[in-house]
Amino acid sequence: MKLRKAVQTALRSLVLASLCGVAFNATAETPAAPQEPAKQLPLEELRLFAEVYDRIKNAYVEPVDDAKLLQDAVRGMLAGLDPHSNYMDAEEFESLQVHTSGEFGGLGIEVGMEEPYIRVITPIDDTPAQRAGVKAGDLITQLDDKPVASMTLEEAINLMRGEPGEPITLTILREGRDAPLQIKVVRDIIHVASVKSRLLEPGYGYLRITQFQVNTGKELIRQLEKLREEGELNGMVLDLRNNPGGVLQAAVDVSNAFLSEGTIVYTEGRLPNSDQLFEANGQTVAADLPLVVLINGGSASASEIVAGALQDQKRAVIMGTDSFGKGSVQTILPLAKDRAIKLTTARYFTPNGRSIQAQGIEPDIEVANAELKPLDSGVGHLKEKDLSGHLENGQNSEGEAAASRVQDKALLREDFQLFEALSLLKALSIVKLQDK
């Protein structure tokens, strides 16, 4: 009853403040909203809240903690706004900071669920797990003395993370070993690379961004320079498929690596500091390199900023399928006790003024993912090299050409969209040579 009276007193204070035109600002860090005429709070809804609160406290089948009930009310208030605004407790706030920074205390292994155990997909190079002898394919059955069979994958991952220097013992089942292994691993700072690179074949590079972290722009430039050390590049594929987004500034940095001038993205919102314009600063490292960008329905937010900027600026060919369509900006507003809210504060627009919200980026060339098996068109056809006594070619290019064909067929089987992107880059390279 005392708590109900306290809630009602607080509600009455809010009503009085509304009637008097007083603006409440919870923290000094929260930006002040534009001045609007004072409006009365809806008294009927406030009474309803107090009544529901009272009914839950008195009639719910089990006792409910007051702090949890109020915290859940805050969660519901934010969740009702849109799918991307939410409340974060201390643990969730810390997890968000880990994902955006790309650094955390842990073991350095990629894992997946294989009921009832956790399977090691791969240990990351030069991490505590690799140095301790953890191998791909290992099944983790216990973390210290806790069986993983009773955990979710997220719970197991959280348990493996921790302060650098803290040890944890993994109980592991390994193929070829009769008895379980116990491997002690000492946690360390793990750096998660958001950019991966490789050569598809000589002259054609591949950059894959898994998520947009604080240092993704710098990491992309390092990976690009690494590819250039292996030889001159005739074209590049930038793979943004299934990339959920991340830090806005990272998307600007990545776009700037390929754009020498012009607008990248701009945002508009109700707060004065929500209206921002981001332009290329001329410090591009690949302004003329032929570029194909791959997107799909899992490409969202920052991925769409990059794809939209490069598409509007006619800098790249966008290939794949329609992107997700998340064209809103979320601002992290810290609260007391290491908590925060993630609040949608603006919409973003491509250089040509397109809003991506609930629409997405349409590719210039639509290529759905598919599994294809190339037909052998040479069956039954006799060639010159099959004739008895044929003249030798006199050159050694056949081996290289055959190797290239083998690579193409393998790529065609593994990733049809990437195969098509590489084929387009080769065509663009041929046209570019003819223009010289």
Side-chain angles (χ1 to χ4, degrees):
M1 185 61 68
K2 289 182 179 179
L3 185 58
R4 182 186 178 188
K5 288 182 178 179
V7 171
Q8 290 174 333
T9 301
L11 292 176
R12 281 196 296 270
S13 298
L14 285 172
V15 173
L16 181 61
S18 176
L19 294 174
C20 297
V22 177
F24 278 86
N25 194 357
T27 68
E29 297 178 0
T30 305
Q35 293 296 320
E36 294 180 356
K39 296 180 180 179
Q40 294 186 12
L41 291 174
L43 299 180
E44 188 60 36
E45 280 69 21
L46 290 171
R47 292 192 188 98
L48 177 63
F49 176 84
E51 184 177 355
V52 171
Y53 187 94
D54 185 59
R55 294 290 178 88
I56 293 173
K57 288 294 299 178
N58 293 319
Y60 187 65
V61 64
E62 295 178 350
V64 184
D65 180 72
D66 295 324
K68 181 182 183 305
L69 197 57
L70 290 170
Q71 188 168 264
D72 288 344
V74 174
R75 287 187 189 277
M77 182 165 52
L78 285 158
L81 298 174
D82 64 74
H84 308 293
S85 295
N86 63 278
Y87 167 82
M88 292 176 286
D89 59 24
E91 185 176 329
E92 292 165 332
F93 188 26
E94 182 182 5
S95 177
L96 175 70
Q97 292 171 312
V98 164
H99 285 297
T100 55
S101 68
E103 295 184 358
F104 58 90
L107 310 182
I109 50 176
E110 295 181 18
V111 296
M113 202 72 190
E114 186 167 310
E115 297 288 355
Y117 304 128
I118 303 295
R119 176 174 287 277
V120 177
I121 298 173
T122 183
I124 301 172
D125 290 342
D126 195 29
T127 60
Q130 186 196 48
R131 292 192 291 267
V134 178
K135 296 183 178 181
D138 285 348
L139 291 175
I140 301 174
T141 63
Q142 282 190 190
L143 300 172
D144 285 331
D145 59 349
K146 299 179 177 65
V148 302
S150 60
M151 303 179 191
T152 65
L153 181 60
E154 184 177 357
E155 288 171 340
I157 291 173
N158 288 336
L159 198 57
M160 286 187 280
R161 289 180 178 172
E163 291 297 321
E166 291 183 348
I168 184 172
T169 300
L170 310 182
T171 302
I172 284 175
L173 298 179
R174 179 175 295 170
E175 188 174 355
R177 297 292 297 261
D178 295 331
L181 299 172
Q182 287 197 331
I183 300 178
K184 183 178 179 180
V185 186
V186 179
R187 296 177 178 91
D188 199 353
I189 294 294
I190 306 300
H191 302 271
V192 180
S194 63
V195 184
K196 301 177 181 179
S197 68
R198 73 176 194 266
L199 282 178
L200 297 172
E201 59 182 66
Y204 297 96
Y206 172 82
L207 290 169
R208 161 79 177 148
I209 302 179
T210 56
Q211 61 180 323
F212 286 84
Q213 300 171 350
V214 173
N215 294 317
T216 295
K218 295 178 181 178
E219 200 172 324
L220 179 134
I221 293 173
R222 283 197 299 268
Q223 294 291 342
L224 181 58
E225 295 303 325
K226 180 181 174 182
L227 290 174
R228 281 175 166 160
E229 290 174 1
E230 300 186 43
E232 183 181 357
L233 292 175
N234 299 317
M236 178 70 64
V237 177
L238 178 62
D239 191 351
L240 300 178
R241 291 174 297 177
N242 298 316
N243 182 322
V247 179
L248 171 62
Q249 185 59 49
V252 173
D253 294 340
V254 169
S255 302
N256 193 63
F258 299 102
L259 291 171
S260 57
E261 60 182 0
T263 297
I264 293 174
V265 65
Y266 66 92
T267 64
E268 293 181 354
R270 292 175 60 215
L271 298 173
N273 61 356
S274 295
D275 295 345
Q276 299 186 66
L277 174 66
F278 298 89
E279 295 186 310
N281 60 20
Q283 296 179 351
T284 176
V285 294
D288 301 319
L289 186 66
L291 183 64
V292 175
V293 179
L294 287 175
I295 61 172
N296 64 5
S299 306
S301 190
S303 297
E304 295 172 295
I305 290 176
V306 174
L310 298 178
Q311 186 179 54
D312 282 5
Q313 298 284 12
K314 309 298 182 185
R315 175 60 188 87
V317 177
I318 312 300
M319 180 180 285
T321 55
D322 289 358
S323 64
F324 181 78
K326 180 182 177 294
S328 59
V329 179
Q330 282 68 48
T331 302
I332 306 301
L333 303 175
L335 304 173
K337 296 184 179 179
D338 297 325
R339 294 172 292 183
I341 61 173
K342 182 169 67 171
L343 191 66
T344 299
T345 55
R347 289 182 174 88
Y348 67 74
F349 299 84
T350 70
N352 289 349
R354 291 184 293 160
S355 172
I356 300 167
Q357 179 60 27
Q359 180 175 339
I361 297 291
E362 295 182 11
D364 300 310
I365 302 176
E366 184 172 354
V367 178
N369 204 11
E371 293 184 5
L372 298 182
K373 181 180 179 180
L375 296 175
D376 190 350
S377 59
V379 175
H381 294 281
L382 200 65
K383 295 186 177 182
E384 172 70 15
K385 66 180 180 180
D386 300 318
L387 298 179
S388 178
H390 68 271
L391 293 175
E392 294 299 328
N393 180 269
Q395 297 179 348
N396 296 321
S397 60
E398 178 60 27
E400 295 179 4
S404 179
R405 287 195 295 271
V406 170
Q407 284 182 326
D408 285 351
K409 287 183 179 180
L411 190 59
L412 179 60
R413 288 191 298 269
E414 296 169 4
D415 192 335
F416 177 63
Q417 290 174 317
L418 183 54
F419 173 82
E420 289 290 278
L422 177 58
S423 299
L424 177 57
L425 279 177
K426 289 179 178 179
L428 293 173
S429 179
I430 292 171
V431 172
K432 187 176 180 180
L433 287 173
Q434 291 176 342
D435 289 341
K436 289 184 178 181

